């Protein structure tokens, strides 16, 4: 489980992870 | 997806595959630990909810891996205007999982946009396991395609008066490169990158065929349904969780049984 997502996203509906932030970024 | 390309693990971690009777029927997107956003028409026909299930953390539908999670569905909330003002109008549904989705680098929620997001000059992509050709070929791998947004008036001109577009709909497609959404992509997200964060602005909904470049894909505009989405997610409680439970009488019976077995072993 990822632990790197702070609860700081204004658009997030999740309580424990940031939304829309994949760990892998496509080139 | 027509004209889509193979994607890789972790790139679109909010992607969901909704299955009916063991077969992929629609896509969806993770909003939080219990809620998945998809198209209402995925559940339009009368079907038993128990026959549906969902997979997350998967790209090849034939190969579940250690990051793949499987979920049964607790309930589906269909938008109240579904099919009311248009054959595919109000094409939004919220699916509540029976158990919580566990987040990882392979499984993450997508953000919802603000209601006043400016859609001009956005880089938008869609993903899905839908048909890869108009002949009905399907692939097992998740595909991705960059789809430019098409202005509403232009999209309405292309579709003509027989297929009118509601304000709640938006269009996207790559006419030049023949990229479009197709059957089986329904419910999948259309996402755009804004300030290094991916926002879901659309839900794959309908179109006239897949391979006719003059007919772009039509998506439910997520911004239009924000209040409904948030209201339901905030007011509907999480499903009851099954916890190990042994009644006092059963516990006494089990205890007696264990004692007797222990005595027998000693003897």
């Amino acid at each position: 489980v990822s632990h790197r997502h702070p609860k700081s996203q204004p658009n997030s509906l999740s309580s424990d992870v940031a939304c829309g932030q994949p760990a892998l970024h496509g080139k | 997806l027509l004209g889509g390309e193979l994607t890789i693990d972790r790139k679109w971690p909010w992607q969901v595959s909704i299955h009916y009777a063991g077969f992929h029927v629609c896509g969806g997107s993770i909003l939080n630990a219990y809620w998945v956003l998809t198209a209402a028409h995925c559940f339009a026909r009368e079907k038993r909810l128990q026959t549906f299930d969902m997979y997350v953390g998967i790209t090849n539908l034939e190969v579940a891996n250690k990051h793949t999670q499987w979920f049964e569905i607790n309930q589906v909330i269909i938008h109240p205007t579904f099919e009311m003002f248009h054959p595919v109008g109000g094409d939004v549904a919220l699916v509540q999982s029976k158990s919580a989705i566990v987040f990882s680098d392979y499984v993450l929620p997508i953000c919802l946009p603000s209601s006043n997001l400016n859609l001009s000059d956005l880089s938008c992509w869609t993903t899905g396991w839908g048909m890869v050709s108009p002949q009905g070929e399907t692939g097992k791998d998740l595909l991705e395609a960059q789809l430019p947004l098409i202005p509403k008036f232009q999209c309405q001109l292309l579709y003509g008066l027989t297929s009118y577009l509601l304000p709640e709909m938006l269009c996207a497609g790559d006419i030049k490169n023949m990229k479009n959404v197709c059957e089986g992509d329904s419910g999948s997200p259309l996402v755009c990158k804004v300030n290094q964060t991916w926002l879901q602005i659309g839900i794959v909904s309908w179109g006239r065929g897949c391979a006719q470049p003059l007919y772009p894909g039509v998506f439910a505009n997520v911004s239009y349904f924000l209040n409904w989405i948030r209201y339901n997610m905030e007011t509907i409680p999480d499903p009851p969780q099954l916890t190990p439970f042994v009644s006092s009488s059963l516990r006494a019976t089990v205890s007696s049984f264990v004692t007797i077995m222990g005595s027998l072993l000693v003897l």
Side-chain angles (χ1 to χ4, degrees):
Chain A
V1 177
S2 175
H3 299 287
R4 61 195 165 65
H5 303 288
K7 184 185 172 183
S8 60
Q9 287 288 321
N11 295 323
S12 176
L13 290 162
S14 177
S15 58
D16 53 357
V17 294
C19 59
Q21 308 263 341
L24 187 73
H25 299 279
K27 301 293 182 190
Chain B
L1 272 178
L2 247 68
E5 296 174 353
L6 284 173
T7 187
I8 48 177
D9 287 344
R10 294 184 291 163
K11 193 171 177 187
W12 313 107
W14 40 79
Q15 180 74 44
V16 177
S17 170
I18 298 176
H19 287 218
Y20 181 75
F23 294 95
H24 170 89
V25 288
C26 275
S29 57
I30 300 169
L31 294 183
N32 71 10
Y34 283 102
W35 290 101
V36 165
L37 187 64
T38 187
H41 78 259
C42 296
F43 297 90
R45 282 175 285 171
E46 288 206 16
K47 295 172 181 170
R48 285 158 48 91
L49 213 55
Q50 303 94 305
T51 316
F52 285 94
D53 50 26
M54 303 187 289
Y55 289 84
V56 302
I58 191 167
T59 50
N60 183 330
L61 292 178
E62 289 181 333
V63 185
N65 58 48
K66 63 181 179 181
H67 307 291
T68 304
Q69 298 172 53
W70 168 81
F71 297 95
E72 293 178 292
I73 291 174
N74 189 53
Q75 61 177 318
V76 176
I77 314 293
I78 304 284
H79 194 272
T81 65
F82 176 58
E83 294 182 331
M84 190 177 282
F85 305 115
H86 184 285
V88 213
D91 198 11
V92 182
L94 282 166
V95 182
Q96 189 184 43
S97 167
K98 274 189 181 177
S99 54
I101 297 168
V102 178
F103 297 126
S104 69
D105 284 351
Y106 297 79
V107 180
L108 288 169
I110 185 65
C111 298
L112 294 179
S114 59
S115 56
N116 57 353
L117 176 68
N118 183 0
L119 295 180
S120 57
D121 300 324
L122 292 182
S123 169
C124 301
W125 292 70
T126 194
T127 41
W129 286 279
M131 291 181 184
V132 296
S133 78
Q135 288 74 38
E137 296 172 74
T138 56
K140 293 299 178 185
D141 291 299
L142 181 65
L143 298 184
E144 63 181 31
Q146 184 170 18
L147 295 185
L149 300 180
I150 296 174
K152 195 68 160 293
F153 74 93
Q154 189 179 333
C155 190
Q156 184 65 79
L157 281 175
L158 292 168
Y159 269 99
L161 293 175
T162 52
S163 298
Y164 59 99
L165 302 173
L166 296 181
E168 63 183 54
M169 299 171 182
L170 59 82
C171 301
D174 189 337
I175 291 173
K176 184 180 171 187
N177 296 304
M178 292 279 285
K179 294 181 183 179
N180 202 357
V181 290
C182 203
E183 195 174 321
D185 291 320
S186 289
S188 282
L190 177 69
V191 297
C192 311
K193 202 170 193 181
V194 179
N195 296 331
Q196 301 306 310
T197 298
W198 290 94
L199 312 177
Q200 181 172 354
I201 67 154
I203 303 166
V204 178
S205 181
W206 62 279
R208 190 175 295 170
C210 314
Q212 304 176 72
L214 289 182
Y215 297 114
V218 184
F219 300 73
N221 188 336
V222 172
S223 289
Y224 194 91
F225 299 101
L226 276 178
N227 289 342
W228 178 81
I229 292 170
R230 289 187 185 279
Y231 173 79
N232 281 285
M233 291 178 65
E234 288 167 5
T235 56
I236 297 176
D238 291 345
Q241 295 304 297
L242 290 172
T243 51
F245 172 77
V246 181
S247 71
S248 55
S249 58
L250 177 60
R251 192 159 46 229
T253 307
V254 170
S255 174
S256 304
F257 178 74
V258 169
T259 305
I260 292 167
M261 290 303 288
S263 306
L264 288 172
L265 283 171
V266 171
L267 293 171

